[in-house]
Amino acid sequence: EAGLEETGAVNAVTGMILDYRAFDTLGESHVLFIATCCVLLMLRVDKKGMNSPSLSLVDDEEYEAKSDVILRFAAKILCPAIFIFGLYIILCGHLGPGGGFSGGAIIGAGLILYLSAFGFRATERFFNRKTYMILSFSALATYSLSKLYSFYCGANHLETGIPLGTPGAILSSGLIFVLNICVGIVVACTMFTFYVMFRKGDF
């Protein structure tokens, strides 16, 4: 009943999962990160130790996208729209339906479409394993540090001095706006990394 007043989020669901239950949501984000690390450990192909002829298919050429004119044309049109829509869902998650989880899934789907159309070489120019590690660690660290006070206070909204802004404005709801971005980054990176590892066995 006091959600809008206490969190500043018009979307009551977002106010719940990123404020009252922020610690639980942080755990869910870490589960995604740990799951990705496990997949990296289990599916990664060690190219240095390959002596068997049966492993020769690991050559990157085998996994590159074929020259599909229709797919590439569609991806050129759809990928920018998908990325912009995903960002919109993340940034406006405190105002209406959406948020970090759903927006991150949309951006992850856009990355997968781009990879399927243009191949690993084109995609790794802006997203590789190092990029994944930096983005995921930064997002989780920012989330943890942002909500550190509530993890230890354990009370219902002790005053933090962080302004909630005007409900309904894009820059409102205090830290929820930032936390939505962090969750979106983790979800998008996890989806894309899973796809890369199951398809290629390397990243």
Side-chain angles (χ1 to χ4, degrees):
E1 292 178 354
L4 180 60
E5 178 184 351
E6 292 183 338
T7 68
V10 176
N11 183 353
V13 176
T14 300
M16 180 65 70
I17 66 174
L18 289 178
D19 201 308
Y20 298 115
R21 295 179 59 237
F23 186 75
D24 180 63
T25 304
L26 177 65
E28 295 171 2
S29 299
H30 275 84
V31 166
L32 290 174
F33 180 72
I34 294 169
T36 308
C37 292
C38 292
V39 171
L40 284 167
L41 289 172
M42 290 187 296
L43 296 183
R44 187 176 178 200
V45 176
D46 186 5
K47 294 183 179 181
K48 294 180 181 178
M50 287 191 315
N51 295 316
S52 172
S54 62
L55 295 177
S56 60
L57 290 178
V58 175
D59 183 8
D60 285 352
E61 292 295 335
E62 294 291 332
Y63 300 98
E64 284 298 331
K66 308 306 177 190
S67 183
D68 189 324
V69 177
I70 296 176
L71 178 60
R72 292 192 176 191
F73 179 77
K76 285 180 181 178
I77 297 174
L78 292 175
C79 282
I82 291 172
F83 294 143
I84 291 171
F85 183 61
L87 286 173
Y88 167 78
I89 293 294
I90 292 173
L91 297 179
C92 296
H94 58 297
L95 304 178
F101 285 104
S102 50
I106 292 169
I107 292 177
L111 288 170
I112 291 171
L113 173 61
Y114 186 92
L115 172 63
S116 300
F118 301 104
F120 284 92
R121 288 192 184 90
T123 308
E124 288 176 357
R125 288 201 298 259
F126 63 90
F127 198 106
N128 52 33
R129 182 169 53 184
K130 185 177 180 180
T131 308
Y132 162 75
M133 293 171 64
I134 292 172
L135 287 175
S136 295
F137 177 79
S138 299
L140 291 173
T142 301
Y143 191 118
S144 301
L145 294 173
S146 297
K147 292 298 287 184
L148 196 62
Y149 70 91
S150 62
F151 297 159
Y152 289 101
C153 292
N156 179 33
H157 288 277
L158 295 177
E159 291 297 328
T160 63
I162 300 171
L164 297 179
T166 304
I170 185 69
L171 294 178
S172 63
S173 70
L175 288 173
I176 290 179
F177 181 77
V178 177
L179 301 184
N180 256 330
I181 296 173
C182 294
V183 173
I185 289 172
V186 173
V187 172
C189 290
T190 301
M191 276 188 60
F192 182 70
T193 304
F194 276 169
Y195 179 79
V196 171
M197 293 302 300
F198 277 102
R199 175 176 169 181
K200 186 181 178 184
D202 192 15
F203 193 14

